[in-house]
Amino acid sequence: MAIERNDLNTLNNVQLKSENNRAFYADVRSIMFFTKDFAISPTYITEPQDLLELNISGLDENHIFYKLVASAYSQSYTPLNVVVYGNNTATTFTELMKTYVDHEDAFEVTNWVTNMDIVSEKTYIESIISYAKTDKDKQFFIAVNYEKLGSAAEAVKLQTENNVNNVAFVIEGAKNLAKGNWLTGALVGGTIGYKDLGSYIVHSTQINGFVQENFIKTEQKAFWDAGLNYLSKPTQGYYHIVNGLNSDNKTFIELKLVEIWLRDGLKKDLTVFQVRKDKIPGNDTGKMMVYSIIKERCRQGANAGMFMVDSSGSYFGTITQKDKNGNELEISLGHLTVSDFTQESLREGKFDFDLRVTYLNGARKVDLTGAVTTDGEIIFNK
């Protein structure tokens, strides 16, 4: 029945219902807490209590999986898009991921988080690492119960033997775990799950409600040198995340998320373009099309505060800075090149591209290289 203007005054008890769809979760802030202890269908939650209301046998307030999720809601900011999932029959993470992707209620999620036992589930965790190497569109966080691991040497070994640029190990200390505080949950929930890219630096994330751990100086130095993520000593009464690095000990977590944002956006932009245009011509016009699509994505990132720009607003321009001696230096913020067609590329039907942009603080850069085919497919080199 159509509602006439005059009918509005007579309406009451109207319930508005909104439903989230998969596209809603296509956000680098989206979080997936996953477990192998329980069978849990993909479920969107807005508070820890939602997890308990699933009425799963054995999953209560004392279980470490619940405490991990609860820690994500313990900070000043709470995560926007959180999904929980469990598969207690899969023997590897690849199996878990397959059943998840095939599930009718699955969502696109960027950040995958677990706190399964770092020792007894060693083989399963190794399968997470193996999978992460094949899927660069996801960021993984693995909580490390330091007391169970046993020593700084074992923690460093875990980090160095699993050199992956999209997996972060987070050291969990005994004093906070005794209080139900999981640093991994607090980090992903309070910062990564809420704040816009460009507005935070993971390695300086402030952590509230935690207590000082008993890490001695040699342990902290070992963590620092290896690039492990751990809780700082209090500075003026505040605690922070130290390092903010993935396990390759060089990729900052927020830069990996920016890269994922770029990769995901370019894939979708090219898909839309392909639907509208069917095919990219293998000539200078096609080259300019590819250039424009990539540049537009960069413009969106710059407008969102992710990328540094020069005085004219260009993210491919130059800025001038002074060194310690007062000398002025010109610094290039980035570039985008799309190759001309050659005999070889004409046969393969693709344009090679090389992209570099500078993250908002000016000290770090994000690089992407690959090729765009005339069919609108994008292939990344890493």
Side-chain angles (χ1 to χ4, degrees):
M1 180 186 74
I3 299 178
E4 301 293 340
R5 184 182 299 274
N6 292 336
D7 291 334
L8 293 178
N9 293 326
T10 67
L11 292 176
N12 54 45
N13 295 327
V14 175
Q15 180 181 4
L16 298 179
K17 181 181 179 182
S18 63
E19 295 185 357
N20 298 309
N21 57 36
R22 298 187 184 205
F24 182 73
Y25 296 88
D27 185 327
V28 290
R29 295 173 296 184
S30 57
I31 301 171
M32 165 64 76
F33 292 104
F34 66 96
T35 177
K36 66 182 295 291
D37 291 347
F38 309 101
I40 306 174
S41 295
T43 305
Y44 169 71
I45 67 171
T46 58
E47 59 181 358
Q49 182 64 26
D50 294 343
L51 188 58
L52 299 180
E53 290 177 359
L54 295 176
N55 295 318
I56 296 171
S57 177
L59 179 52
D60 56 26
E61 292 179 347
N62 296 315
H63 197 278
I64 64 169
F65 186 64
Y66 171 81
K67 291 180 178 180
L68 174 69
V69 175
S71 295
Y73 289 87
S74 68
Q75 300 302 295
S76 300
Y77 302 101
T78 55
L80 300 175
N81 303 323
V82 177
V83 180
V84 293
Y85 178 67
N87 183 326
N88 59 357
T89 61
T91 58
T92 67
F93 183 77
T94 298
E95 290 179 28
L96 178 144
M97 181 59 74
K98 184 180 186 306
T99 58
Y100 175 76
V101 171
D102 291 343
H103 199 288
E104 61 182 1
D105 295 327
F107 307 102
E108 283 188 62
V109 184
T110 299
N111 300 284
W112 288 68
V113 189
T114 189
N115 65 341
M116 62 183 65
D117 194 299
I118 198 71
V119 176
S120 64
E121 299 295 347
K122 181 176 182 292
T123 301
Y124 197 98
I125 287 172
E126 288 173 349
S127 77
I128 298 173
I129 304 300
S130 296
Y131 178 87
K133 293 176 181 178
T134 69
D135 190 346
K136 297 302 183 178
D137 293 328
K138 292 180 177 61
Q139 168 69 39
F140 294 85
F141 294 87
I142 299 175
V144 178
N145 186 324
Y146 183 63
E147 190 172 49
K148 287 192 174 183
L149 201 59
S151 69
E154 287 298 315
V156 171
K157 180 181 178 183
L158 176 70
Q159 177 88 332
T160 55
E161 289 186 352
N162 298 287
N163 186 332
V164 193
N165 71 357
N166 60 334
V167 175
F169 291 109
V170 183
I171 299 294
E172 305 282 356
K175 290 183 68 175
N176 278 292
L177 290 184
K179 293 179 173 292
N181 295 334
W182 285 82
L183 185 60
T184 311
L187 168 62
V188 298
T191 295
I192 291 165
Y194 174 81
K195 296 186 179 181
D196 291 330
L197 280 174
S199 66
Y200 64 86
I201 302 291
V202 173
H203 70 73
S204 60
T205 292
Q206 182 177 318
I207 300 295
N208 301 318
F210 279 56
V211 297
Q212 185 172 347
E213 291 294 349
N214 292 326
F215 303 137
I216 61 176
K217 287 184 177 179
T218 54
E219 289 174 317
Q220 292 182 68
K221 186 177 187 309
F223 298 160
W224 169 264
D225 289 344
L228 287 158
N229 302 289
Y230 63 101
L231 190 67
S232 71
K233 287 186 175 181
T235 303
Q236 297 181 343
Y238 297 105
Y239 296 92
H240 297 84
I241 294 287
V242 179
N243 276 328
L245 290 166
N246 281 325
S247 62
D248 63 349
N249 196 10
K250 62 182 179 181
T251 301
F252 285 93
I253 294 168
E254 61 265 20
L255 262 68
K256 173 50 66 174
L257 293 174
V258 170
E259 180 189 312
I260 291 172
W261 179 85
L262 279 168
R263 292 165 64 104
D264 182 67
L266 289 173
K267 287 178 184 177
K268 290 172 180 173
D269 293 344
L270 282 161
T271 298
V272 171
F273 183 86
Q274 182 187 17
V275 170
R276 291 170 49 207
K277 298 291 186 182
D278 186 40
K279 203 170 184 70
I280 299 173
N283 52 31
D284 287 344
T285 301
K287 174 183 175 179
M288 288 307 301
M289 287 178 176
V290 172
Y291 186 93
S292 297
I293 291 169
I294 299 175
K295 185 178 180 182
E296 171 59 19
R297 189 65 178 174
C298 295
R299 183 193 67 80
Q300 294 172 25
N303 287 349
M306 295 183 206
F307 306 138
M308 198 170 187
V309 298
D310 64 14
S311 57
S312 65
S314 172
Y315 27 89
F316 300 142
T318 59
I319 59 172
T320 301
Q321 292 183 344
K322 290 186 177 181
D323 63 17
K324 62 181 180 181
N325 298 318
N327 301 313
E328 288 193 347
L329 302 173
E330 274 200 352
I331 300 173
S332 172
L333 295 178
H335 60 254
L336 171 60
T337 58
V338 179
S339 66
D340 294 320
F341 255 32
T342 63
Q343 288 285 351
E344 182 180 356
S345 62
L346 186 60
R347 286 194 299 271
E348 296 176 347
K350 67 179 184 180
F351 296 92
D352 293 325
F353 71 88
D354 184 342
L355 171 66
R356 166 174 281 191
V357 284
T358 299
Y359 193 54
L360 80 165
N361 67 352
R364 304 168 191 161
K365 300 183 184 297
V366 177
D367 295 283
L368 274 183
T369 59
V372 176
T373 71
T374 53
D375 292 324
E377 179 186 4
I378 188 165
I379 304 162
F380 297 103
N381 289 340
K382 62 176 182 175

